[in-house]
Amino acid sequence: MATNILLPKIGFSMTEAQIAEWLAEDGATVTEGQPLYLLEADKSANEVEAPASGTLRIIAQPGETYEVGTVLGTIE
């Protein structure tokens, strides 16, 4: 079963953020807890970890802004 990678709400007033960079490539095998992507929001950058282990399937593209809760990709 696939696990959705959702844009997390990091700050109290955060409603959207930008994917600065994926730290793993589409199709790569990732492990739970591994840094997965760099998130830029409210003038700060945060590494977000993989929520599960498996094969990464990227949906969201770097440089684009997404709302909190948006599915950025899946781990199968």
Side-chain angles (χ1 to χ4, degrees):
M1 175 180 256
T3 300
N4 287 335
I5 301 165
L6 304 176
L7 183 78
K9 183 172 186 172
I10 295 174
F12 178 72
S13 63
M14 181 180 150
T15 58
E16 62 184 20
Q18 186 177 76
I19 303 298
E21 171 187 10
W22 283 95
L23 304 175
E25 295 182 17
D26 188 51
T29 299
V30 297
T31 57
E32 185 174 354
Q34 172 184 341
L36 197 55
Y37 62 93
L38 189 60
L39 181 69
E40 289 184 352
D42 300 327
K43 301 177 186 170
S44 68
N46 299 283
E47 280 188 354
V48 179
E49 298 177 350
S53 298
T55 303
L56 175 64
R57 298 292 177 214
I58 295 174
I59 297 170
Q61 298 304 311
E64 298 292 324
T65 300
Y66 299 95
E67 293 184 16
V68 169
T70 299
V71 176
L72 305 174
T74 60
I75 298 176
E76 301 172 346

